[in-house]
Amino acid sequence: MKSFLKSIFHKPHMLRRVIFCVIGVTLMGFCVSWLNLLAWGTDPCSVFNLAMADILDMSFGSWQALINCVLFLLVLWKGRENIGIGTVCNMFIVGYSCDFMTWLREKLIPEFTFTGWVEKIIACVVILFIFVFSVAVYTSVGLGASPYDSIPEIIFKAQKKLPFRVIRILWDSFYAVLGYLIGGTVGIVTVLMALTIGPMAEAVRKRIGRFIE
């Protein structure tokens, strides 16, 4: 247990890592709120969680925290090496920051919607870039992964046939299809995220490494 706690809290430039992590997951939540308004889909995890929150008449943040706690038990059992401060940040901040942005937007500009195609495309590109960049920052600081992101790694280590990339695609696809079946919105944004998050994370990791190592 001592070594486990040390691996969580004792890293070079810990304060910088935590700041980058909190900013990253907060921006992720803000982007989910705007992508939900855009109605062209979100990341596979949010597709399912937004639909479930709507079905259960819960806030997105509360449902996401609940399902993350359930998945966290599996990660604690089989993937403890993936747990860190970033795990907790992702579990709670993404959902509630999305709720906050939605509340703030509806309070300040209650009638706002994306109307024209040009407006939608520009908004989609900007929001998607910010979201993918935020994910890349969060995954680059080395403070642990969300329960959702840890499950594919656990599955990968438990078998020897499929490469990790295939397992990750199957996991994201499962969540997206499940979300679609219960009323979630799957669209071009969902596909673009699946294609761009990996390369962007690698590019950002190289650039922010000098600030945190």
Side-chain angles (χ1 to χ4, degrees):
M1 178 61 71
K2 185 177 180 180
S3 60
F4 172 61
L5 293 176
K6 185 177 180 179
S7 68
I8 294 177
F9 295 105
H10 290 78
K11 293 181 181 294
H13 305 296
M14 192 66 181
L15 180 59
R16 293 180 189 176
R17 291 176 185 267
V18 172
I19 291 173
F20 274 119
C21 181
V22 171
I23 292 174
V25 295
T26 300
L27 287 176
M28 286 163 60
F30 288 175
C31 289
V32 170
S33 173
W34 285 102
L35 288 172
N36 191 37
L37 179 66
L38 186 62
W40 281 356
T42 61
D43 61 288
C45 181
S46 296
V47 169
F48 172 76
N49 287 335
L50 284 165
M52 280 300 301
D54 187 56
I55 290 172
L56 298 175
D57 196 25
M58 296 175 64
S59 74
F60 175 63
S62 295
W63 165 254
Q64 182 137 308
L66 178 61
I67 190 63
N68 271 325
C69 287
V70 173
L71 294 177
F72 180 78
L73 296 177
L74 178 58
V75 177
L76 191 62
W77 176 40
K78 288 292 186 178
R80 187 174 295 184
E81 67 277 5
N82 296 314
I83 296 174
I85 293 175
T87 306
V88 179
C89 289
N90 188 287
M91 287 172 65
F92 297 99
I93 295 179
V94 173
Y96 286 117
S97 64
C98 174
D99 288 345
F100 173 73
M101 174 53 70
T102 301
W103 171 83
L104 187 64
R105 186 187 68 242
E106 292 176 349
K107 189 173 183 65
L108 296 179
I109 41 177
E111 301 301 322
F112 180 84
T113 56
F114 294 107
T115 53
W117 278 98
V118 174
E119 180 185 15
K120 282 191 173 187
I121 291 172
I122 293 174
C124 179
V125 171
V126 173
I127 298 168
L128 182 60
F129 176 81
I130 295 173
F131 184 92
V132 173
F133 180 81
S134 301
V135 173
V137 170
Y138 145 72
T139 57
S140 298
V141 296
L143 293 182
S146 69
Y148 176 86
D149 292 324
S150 297
I151 299 299
E153 294 191 24
I154 293 173
I155 297 172
F156 172 68
K157 292 176 182 178
Q159 56 83 54
K160 299 180 180 179
K161 294 183 179 181
L162 298 176
F164 176 76
R165 179 175 295 183
V166 173
I167 292 175
R168 179 66 199 225
I169 291 173
L170 291 174
W171 175 245
D172 285 338
S173 299
F174 166 75
Y175 245 72
V177 170
L178 189 60
Y180 176 77
L181 291 176
I182 62 174
T185 302
V186 175
I188 185 62
V189 171
T190 311
V191 177
L192 289 174
M193 283 188 176
L195 296 175
T196 57
I197 286 178
M200 176 69 85
E202 186 62 29
V204 171
R205 185 178 294 112
K206 295 177 181 178
R207 286 167 172 75
I208 73 170
R210 58 186 176 179
F211 296 109
I212 60 177
E213 296 297 340

